[in-house]
Every structure is written in C-alpha cells, then in structure tokens.
C-alpha cells in the first residue's frame, strides 16, 4: 500500500513525522499486546468492577492508588461503612472484595466510600456498568445488575457498510410525547420508520451514562454504564437485535474526548488525586467544556478506554463507533479558535501524539473485534491521514465527518440571496475531499438544530412554517423552502464521499429547534421530542418531504450511487444549473429562482435515459412540470455545453428550483 506522502506530494516534507507517528503507534501496540492481538490484551472490564462468579458469589475490584480505605456501601448494609464490606489492598493500587452470594442482590443500589490522605467521599465505581438516578435528589448510585435470565441474541451483525446511509438519533427525544422516551419506545415506533425510509445504519447518541440530560450525552460520567434513563441493558440489546434483524447496523456515539468533572458520579478526584486518568494541572481541564481531559499517554488510561471499546462491542453487539470531539483530543489547545490552514498544523508540537496513538489503537482494536465494524471521526481540523489506513501511515478511521458541508449550507442560506449562489462553489465544497480518505456528508445533523440555532427548513421558512405548511397554501416563502430543502439534501447525498447522514425527523422538515429541559425553559420537554404525526396527514407538506427523502435514500442505495466518484458534466453559473454523473445516474439541478429551461442540451454519455426521481413531482409537493418515468435519448451531436469527453448531447426540460435524476438503460 502506498504511503500518505507518496499519494499526496504536499505531505512529502512531513515524511519523517508520518513515519515516526506510525512507529509510535506500532510500538505502543507491542507494549500492550506483545506479538499478539490488542483484543486479547485489553480486558480491564473483566477484572475491575462488580462480577458474579460461577458459584454465585461476588468479586469486586477497583483501582485507586491514592486511597487508604475503601468501603462498599448500599442498600445491603444501610449505607454504613462496615468491615464486612471493606475492600482490601492487593498491590499496584488495586483493591478487592469477595462476598458470598447472599450479601448482594440484583437491583440493590451501592456506592464506594473512599478515604485518602486529608479527605474522603462517596464515588461510583470507575468500571460501573449500571447507574441509576434518584428522581428526587437527582443523585446517581450504582446498581447491582445480574438478572436471572441472560438476553439471548436472535440475529447476527448487519454486515459490512462500505457506504453507510446513517440515521442519527437520540433515544430520549424520539417520542412525540413530552417525556424521556425509552429503548422500547424507539424499537417499536421509530425503528420501523428507519427501515421504511431506507437508512441502513443507526447512529445512536447519549448511550453512555451522563448526569445532565441536556448535555446531549456529551458530558459522560460512567463510561461503561448504559444510560438507565432510557431503560435496561436487556431492552437495549433487544433494540440492537431488532435493528440487526432488519438489516440495520448500529453505531454508537462514543465519548472518549473528555469526562464530566463531577466527583460524585464521575472520575474526577476519584481517589483524592486529579490525575488518576487525566492530565494533571491546567492541561487536565478543558477550558471550553468545563470537563476533564484524559491523559492518553498513561497506560491505565489507555487500558480503561480500550477496554471500554471492547466492552460495548462485546456486551451490546455494537457495529462501530462515531468518536466524538476528535479535534479536541488531537491538539493541546483543543483546536479552539484555530484556523487549520496548512499541513504544518498536523505535524508539530501542538499535536498531542498520545491522543493520536490512542485513536489508532482504538481503530486497530475495533477491526480485530469485528472486521466489518467501522469507525467515524468527528474532526473539524482536517488532519491529514486521520481517516487513512494504518498501513499507509494513517490513524485508521474508516470515515471522517465532512463537517464543512453543513456549515457552508448555513452560510449560503444566511448570507447570500438565491441569485448569488454559485453552483461552482457548491460543487467544489461538496466534492473537495482527500482521495485517500472516506467521508460522511450531511446537510444538517443534530448540531444545526440545537437551541440558539435553526434547522435548514426553519432557516428557509422561519415563521411562515407556522401558518403555511398545509398543501392548499401557496406561500412563496414556503414553496421556496420546500423546493430547496429537497434539492439541498439530494445534492449533498449524491455528492457524498462515501456515506450520508440525516438527523432523526429532519427528513420531513421537523419544525423549530432542539431544547432539552432546563431551568431556563421551566424544565420543558416541548422541544426535546419529535413530532412524527406532522408527517402523517396528506394535507400537510411534511409528508411529502418525508416521501422524497425515502425515495432519495432508496435510489442512492439501489443504484449503488456512492460506489463511484461523481463526474461533473455542467457547471452553468449564468443559469444556475449543476449537472453531474455518478455510477449509472445523471443528477441535474436547476437552482435558479425564476429561470426554467426547455431543451437544455449538454454533453452526456450516449444512450437512453429515464427519469427515475423528480423533486418537482406532485407526490413530493412539487408543481409537476415534468413527466415522471419519461425517457430521453441522446442525440449524436457535439454539445458546446458540458464535459468535452462525450460526443452525444442530452436535451432536458429543467424547471426552476428543481432536480431530476436520470438512469441510463
């Protein structure tokens, strides 16, 4: 396999740095696993925490090198520190407690009481796999979880995803009711919708336990604990199992970029020290997020996080991970307020090479656990090699999020009139990707919908959404919004590098924003839910946006559109027309607000083409200005317009603000 600096000559000056990074990664792999596999060497989750032995007895272990005494306190001893539940030191900072079966029962609550020089406090075990929140005090406690019957898996994994069509979702806000929805709610009501829409991958947020619901799951306290506010481990397994049965892969949003700084629930000051798993001093505190920063150079931290990756795959049959906050991990300054211009940013003293090494090891581990599993990096810095194979000198992510695409759509909508949109810039920004990396594109994810921001549909229509989303209305603002919403999503998906993502509900133009219950809104769930019923009636336009999204996703999957790179055919700035070919399809988009063009001719591959998707079709709330299923034959004449490599011309009617997809027969 060619190296990064061989495929990209601009990386040649950094050849030694790339080679040194690769050696550092492989050296750490040998340090942890010797000549064996990482998956056989990282098993901290099987040693630490609470485990039931084959004979029914219990064993509990914790790592707390600064502790002088540790007690297990809980329902079983009236929350008193007693000798019967005192852990004993076993060396190396490890503590252990063995208990007969009758001294702990399934469902009982417990915590650790840790004493250290000059202080003491209650803590949740660092490897706790079940934590529950008291409804009144809001405090968390660990819970003994050992149901009499283990979950029996019915389905295998969903299989390889070279071009995932991702449905990003949050379990808690997936119900229409003003509440925290459950795994069962999602499994029975939302999962069938995802299947019908054609998405083949779920990306689930907020699975790791987090004290504050409104953090969207990004302020994690208990890395091994499935968030209990959504249900039980068995209920989540049933959801994953059902998804696999429907051919849908399940990707987890995993947060290894930082940890909540809470002491009672989290890892901060766990044994009286600030550096157990984190960098000490100011470097261990995130200046923007108010959280703790992991010391990725510390063996115990790497074992903790790598074992965490293995645990989620092993316990819940996860098909992969989207690693959150990768930019924050990669740089000592967390990339805050920084413009990443030039390759020097990726190979200098500002990079935390410990974090780079950890991420590479995590990618190696995922593939060892399941060759079909995949990883996605959320990185805004564009670090070269992040999503390139390890053998090429990369870090090994399968995909990176193409985060600039959504930002550009917001910029164009906010700052430019329709007449100022440049189809050339749209093409460039949507297709400008490194050849050695795979990317996931999206027009909007959950980020664009958070309170203080707006979804694309709300940016396009604003208050008019409240009054004119009925089909009888012919409000020009809403007509424009409906048309552009379809076109934006189609051109984003059709030019995607290797995968496409949509956030739950945005396929039908979910109104307003996301705002979790908090003091500022009276702890309301009004905006922390999904109004699915809007897409049901035939007299509301939401239904037709959903229908278009469904048709678009199925087309991209059925025609294997993403299996070949897109080829530009026409970039007509004057008429605002963008036409490109991908695989066996031609995508023709007319962004003009007023210009419709009859017999628009352009150079195209010779043959017969049929209209298989039209955003202007009435079944998608369009004006029906073209004929669905209409066939078009190229004419054997050279066209001055379009790609010069083709000697035939294709003539089409291209109505304003519409897009058509043609398939070659």
């Amino acid at each position: 396999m060619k190296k990064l600096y061989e495929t990209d000559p601009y990386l040649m000056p950094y050849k030694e740095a790339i080679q040194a990074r690769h050696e550092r990664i492989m050296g750490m792999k040998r340090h942890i696993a010797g000549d064996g596999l990482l998956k056989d060497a990282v098993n901290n989750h099987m040693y630490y925490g609470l485990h039931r032995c084959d004979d029914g007895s219990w064993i509990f272990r914790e790592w707390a090198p600064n502790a002088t005494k540790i007690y297990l306190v809980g329902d079983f001893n009236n929350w008193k520190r007693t000798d019967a539940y005192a852990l004993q030191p076993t060396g190396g900072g490890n503590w252990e407690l063995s208990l007969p079966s009758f001294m702990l029962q399934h469902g009982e609550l417990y915590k650790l009481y840790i004493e250290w020089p000059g202080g003491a406090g209650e803590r949740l075990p660092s490897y706790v796999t079940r934590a529950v929140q008291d409804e009144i005090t809001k405090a968390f406690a660990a819970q003994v979880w050992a149901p009499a019957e283990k979950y029996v898996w019915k389905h295998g994994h969903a299989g390889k995803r070279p071009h995932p069509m991702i449905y990003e979702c949050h379990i808690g806000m997936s119900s229409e009711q003003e509440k925290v929805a459950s795994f069962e709610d999602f499994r029975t009501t939302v999962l069938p919708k995802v299947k019908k829409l054609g998405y083949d991958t779920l990306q689930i947020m907020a699975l790791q336990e987090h004290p504050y619901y409104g953090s969207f799951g990004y302020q994690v306290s208990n890395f091994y604990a499935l968030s209990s506010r959504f249900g039980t481990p068995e209920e989540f397994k049933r959801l994953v199992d059902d998804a696999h049965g429907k051919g849908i892969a399940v990707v987890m949003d995993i947060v290894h970029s930082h940890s909540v700084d809470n002491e009672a629930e989290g890892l901060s000051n766990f044994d009286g020290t600030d550096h157990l798993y984190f960098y000490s001093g100011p470097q261990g505190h995130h200046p923007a997020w108010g959280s703790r920063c992991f010391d990725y150079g510390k063996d115990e931290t790497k074992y903790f996080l790598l074992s965490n990756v293995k645990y989620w795959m092993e316990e819940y049959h996860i098909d992969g991970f989207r690693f959150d906050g990768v930019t924050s991990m990669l740089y000592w300054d967390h990339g805050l307020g920084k413009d990443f211009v030039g390759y020097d940013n990726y190979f200098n003293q500002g990079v935390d090479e410990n974090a780079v090494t950890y991420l590479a090891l995590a990618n190696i581990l995922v593939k060892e656990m399941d060759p079909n599993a995949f990883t996605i990096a959320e990185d805004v810095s564009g670090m070269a090699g992040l999503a390139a194979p390890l053998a090429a000198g990369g870090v090994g992510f399968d995909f990176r999020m193409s985060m600039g695409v959504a930002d550009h759509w917001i910029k164009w909508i906010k700052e430019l009139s329709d007449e100022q949109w440049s189809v050339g810039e749209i093409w460039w920004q949507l297709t400008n990707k490194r050849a050695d990396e795979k990317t996931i594109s999206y027009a909007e994810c959950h980020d664009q919908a958070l309170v203080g921001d707006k979804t694309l549909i709300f940016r396009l229509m604003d208050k008019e959404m409240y009054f004119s989303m009925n089909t009888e209305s012919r409000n020009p603002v809403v007509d424009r919004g409906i048309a552009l919403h379809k076109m934006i999503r189609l051109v984003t998906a059709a030019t995607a590098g290797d995968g496409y993502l949509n956030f739950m509900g945005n396929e039908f133009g979910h109104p307003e924003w996301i705002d979790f219950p908090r003091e500022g809104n009276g702890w309301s769930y009004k905006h922390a839910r999904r109004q699915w019923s809007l897409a049901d009636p035939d007299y509301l336009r939401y239904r037709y946006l959903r229908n278009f999204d469904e048709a678009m996703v199925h087309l991209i999957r059925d025609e294997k559109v993403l299996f070949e790179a897109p080829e530009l055919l026409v970039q007509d700035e004057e008429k605002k027309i963008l036409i490109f070919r991908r695989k066996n399809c031609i995508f023709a988009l007319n962004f003009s607000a007023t210009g419709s063009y009859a017999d628009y001719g352009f150079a195209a591959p010779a043959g017969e083409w049929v209209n298989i998707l039209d955003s202007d079709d009435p079944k998608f709330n369009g004006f029906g200005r073209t004929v669905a299923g209409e066939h078009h034959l190229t004419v054997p004449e050279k066209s001055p317009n379009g790609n010069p490599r083709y000697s035939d011309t294709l003539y089409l009617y291209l109505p304003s603000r519409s897009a058509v997809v043609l398939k070659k027969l």
Side-chain angles (χ1 to χ4, degrees), residues 65-244:
N66 193 50
T68 54
K69 288 184 180 179
I70 302 181
Y71 297 93
L72 207 64
V73 297
D75 294 336
F76 38 79
N77 58 10
N78 293 317
W79 300 90
K80 304 295 184 183
R81 301 190 292 279
T82 62
D83 290 342
Y85 290 91
L87 279 70
Q88 301 302 314
T90 60
N94 293 305
W95 296 76
E96 185 174 293
L97 172 65
S98 295
L99 295 170
S101 60
F102 67 88
M103 293 184 74
L104 287 179
Q105 301 298 323
H106 171 68
E108 289 183 317
L109 303 182
Y110 70 98
K111 294 183 181 182
L112 298 178
Y113 187 87
I114 303 179
E115 298 179 6
W116 56 81
E122 288 186 344
R123 298 287 186 264
L124 296 192
S126 55
Y127 286 81
V128 64
T129 57
R130 173 78 173 170
V132 294
Q133 188 174 27
D134 186 277
E135 292 186 6
I136 298 174
T137 67
K138 303 303 179 184
F140 277 85
Q143 186 176 39
V144 178
W145 198 257
E149 294 185 11
K150 289 188 175 182
Y151 183 81
V152 178
W153 294 90
K154 301 177 182 65
H155 305 284
H157 288 272
K160 196 172 181 63
R161 289 289 181 273
H163 301 286
M165 301 296 287
I166 301 173
Y167 199 79
E168 184 188 35
C169 56
H170 182 283
I171 300 297
M173 59 176 288
S174 64
S175 170
E176 183 142 2
Q177 300 175 44
E178 296 184 25
K179 66 173 188 176
V180 178
S182 68
F183 294 125
E184 279 294 289
D185 291 330
F186 189 95
R187 185 181 70 84
T188 56
T189 62
V190 182
L191 192 59
K193 299 179 192 293
V194 178
K195 174 65 176 177
K196 186 174 187 297
L197 286 167
Y199 291 90
D200 62 14
T201 303
L202 280 180
Q203 181 180 302
I204 308 181
M205 308 168 65
L207 289 176
Q208 293 168 293
E209 192 59 87
H210 46 289
Y212 180 46
Y213 183 51
S215 76
F216 233 139
Y218 292 127
Q219 291 270 345
V220 172
S221 53
N222 313 109
F223 290 80
Y224 286 81
L226 179 73
S227 183
S228 59
R229 54 170 58 88
F230 308 132
T232 68
E234 287 68 37
E235 288 168 338
F236 180 57
K237 289 176 182 177
R238 190 174 298 116
L239 165 57
V240 175
D241 210 2
D242 273 18
H244 287 165

Side-chain angles (χ1 to χ4, degrees), residues 28 31 43 106 121 141 212 220 422 582 592 603 610:
M28 186 53 65
H31 171 71
N43 295 297
H106 171 68
Y212 180 46
V220 172
S422 165
R582 194 156 193 187
S592 174
V610 61

Side-chain angles (χ1 to χ4, degrees), residues 8-12 14 341-348 382 384 434:
D8 183 352
Y10 289 103
L11 284 174
M12 189 57 74
Y14 307 97
V341 180
Y343 283 170
D344 184 58
N345 287 285
Y346 312 138
F347 307 101
N348 61 30
R434 291 187 61 85

